[in-house]
Amino acid sequence: MFYEPKQECLSNNEKRALQSERLIDTVKRVYENVAPYRAKMDQAGVKPSDIRGIEDIVKLPFTTKKDLRENYPFGMFASPQKDIIRIHASSGTTGKLTVVGYSKADIDLWARCCARGLAAVGATQESVLHVAYGYGLFTGGLGMHYGGELMGLTVVPVSSGNTARQLTLLKDFKADGICCTPSYAVFLADELIKAGFSAKDLNLKWGLFGAEPWTDEMRREIEEKLGLKAYDIYGLSEISGPGVASECEFQRGSHIWDDYFYPEIIDIDTLQPLPIGERGELVFTTLTKEGMPLIRYRTRDITALDDSPCPCGRTGVRLNRIKGRSDDMLIIRGVNVFPSQIESAIINSDERISTHYHIVVDRINNLDTMEIMVELRDDAQIDQIKEIEDIKKKLTSDITSAIGISANVRLVSGGSITRSEGKAKRVTDNRKY
Amino acid sequence: MLVNQIAVFLENRSGRIAEFSRVLSDAGVNIQAMSIADTEEYGILRAITDDNEKSINALRKNGFNASSTDLVGFSVEDKPGEMFKVLDILEKAKINIGYLYSFAKSSKKSAVILIKVDDNEGTASILAQNGINLVDQDIL
């Protein structure tokens, strides 16, 4: 099934011509409208006229999350405010949000990409889609919602949380498809079984899971427990949201909608482009976005591309599974968390605690857990249990407000966290990808 | 007229109290009184030793969080009603006790009670006015 068969199956020549034409326009547009891009290009000695085709993309400077942060909130927008119809945001380092602005055309493009992903897994106008991604600043919920509506599905905007109600609605509304984070899908499946039901009580046939890295083992578990086929969907809010890439029925990696988002893989040390098939950092250039176009944006996701033909007929180059990050960002229950956010909460919380901490991330009963061990200062004046409980309570709430999700805080004696030579190892991630 | 104690933060896991006493033993310090408050995760060990400063240095060197606090101490006769008499005075004076512990030396016919209060001086003077026998570090 295709949503836009012609565009999804462009020949190599057609695609390169389209990508070239769109890149030339985008570069012109950002050079004229976005001061930080103009400054970067001037510094690199590149003019818009130097970009004559998609192969010239390597001449352009990279864009990073730091650029977005330094131009917070709207400094990277290429459209006047009157043309921006939506803002989304995700958490970034130092607690500052990464803000994305969308024009009407951007929202429409995003919805079409999500619709392509839905069609690719077998959704039709008859299908009921249960959207259990969070709705709000997070792009997951609204992205899939608009995609589903555009295709004419019956969309159930459940959002995240309240598992008991999710199960009731899945049974009663007979959803054909579901989308949420893969870890939540496993959690939901286990709750279903705990409540005395099984996949037979549901009508699910397919699910689109993304917003965090997952494994083939998880895929098999979700498929078995929920009685559906589980597909990977990739996206990030900076580029638009979910649906930058999506798997087809053959489950051989996610097809990037590369008529809109041009992917490159670069070596993280030399920053040079790598040949297709080699693993490195994924970089995206948006080819038609108006509100906030991004040029060679470093996603920090580590993966490889695959351009071998896919039996489905789509020509979008495929993304292998994400194998980690080139920075220290953690994705916990679908939420981006930077250790530096936790660190600044620790530093400002109480003078009796030190700056030595260690974060342990795990996946227990298929839900991400985070424990943060923090050392007390050697000379902390503490002689009552209540003082410890108060320090812990305040620190827990400071961390929750800094990162937006809850963590289990444990105070430990000074010196009990292993000191490392050189760069401190702040995080132990016991989850398996 | 105050009694100085050490307070040590402990994670509630096996071997921590043994480790605490090993450190003081190696430092040649004698423990004279001790009490522990604990929850599922944490404990606070409070103790009086014959050299609190030396104890704190040794403990900090060995990865313990240790600090010192002054307590009000008084001795009572070793018979029924003696402790109530003092607590009743404090209650009437609206003095709140953070925690309390006591010890008795076999060579003496009295017990020593130590209390943590917000206002050491004020508490000590009220007790003295009521004829309670305050003690200092030397009693140990």
Side-chain angles (χ1 to χ4, degrees), chain A residues 273-289:
Chain A
L274 292 172
I276 250 179
E278 282 191 38
R279 189 184 285 181
E281 182 179 331
L282 178 63
V283 171
F284 271 115
T285 299
T286 63
L287 295 174
T288 65
K289 277 191 76 183

Side-chain angles (χ1 to χ4, degrees), chain A residues 174-342:
Chain A
K174 302 200 171 8
D176 302 271
I178 180 170
C179 47
C180 59
T181 61
S183 55
Y184 189 66
V186 182
F187 181 74
L188 208 56
D190 288 342
E191 291 299 306
L192 175 78
I193 293 159
K194 251 190 239 167
F197 298 99
S198 74
K200 288 198 196 80
D201 298 296
L202 304 181
N203 186 45
L204 288 172
K205 299 174 190 73
W206 42 266
L208 287 166
F209 305 107
E212 65 187 14
W214 53 311
T215 57
D216 281 330
E217 289 71 39
M218 278 180 86
R219 189 201 300 260
R220 278 192 289 278
E221 189 180 353
I222 295 169
E223 292 190 336
E224 193 176 305
K225 288 181 171 168
L226 287 178
L228 48 67
K229 269 190 100 175
Y231 299 94
D232 205 356
I233 179 166
Y234 174 87
L236 63 165
S237 63
E238 295 94 312
I239 300 302
S240 67
V244 170
S246 226
E247 272 188 332
C248 67
E249 63 201 283
F250 294 98
Q251 295 176 318
R252 293 186 186 180
S254 303
H255 289 280
I256 296 171
W257 308 124
D258 52 9
D259 47 341
Y260 293 119
F261 312 115
Y262 184 78
E264 295 173 88
I265 297 287
I266 60 164
D267 183 300
I268 54 171
D269 297 319
T270 66
L271 304 186
Q272 292 305 306
L274 292 172
I276 250 179
E278 282 191 38
R279 189 184 285 181
E281 182 179 331
L282 178 63
V283 171
F284 271 115
T285 299
T286 63
L287 295 174
T288 65
K289 277 191 76 183
E290 299 176 342
M292 196 177 97
L294 286 179
I295 304 290
R296 303 192 87 196
Y297 181 70
R298 295 184 58 183
T299 65
R300 304 289 171 178
D301 284 326
I302 303 294
T303 184
L305 299 177
D306 179 359
D307 67 351
S308 63
C310 184
C312 75
R314 286 178 184 79
T315 55
V317 62
R318 299 194 304 285
L319 198 57
N320 288 351
R321 277 193 189 276
I322 305 299
K323 288 292 180 189
R325 303 265 313 162
S326 68
D327 62 7
D328 55 1
M329 186 178 91
L330 295 163
I331 301 178
I332 315 273
R333 287 168 243 151
V335 176
N336 298 350
V337 173
F338 287 90
S340 56
Q341 294 172 288
I342 294 172

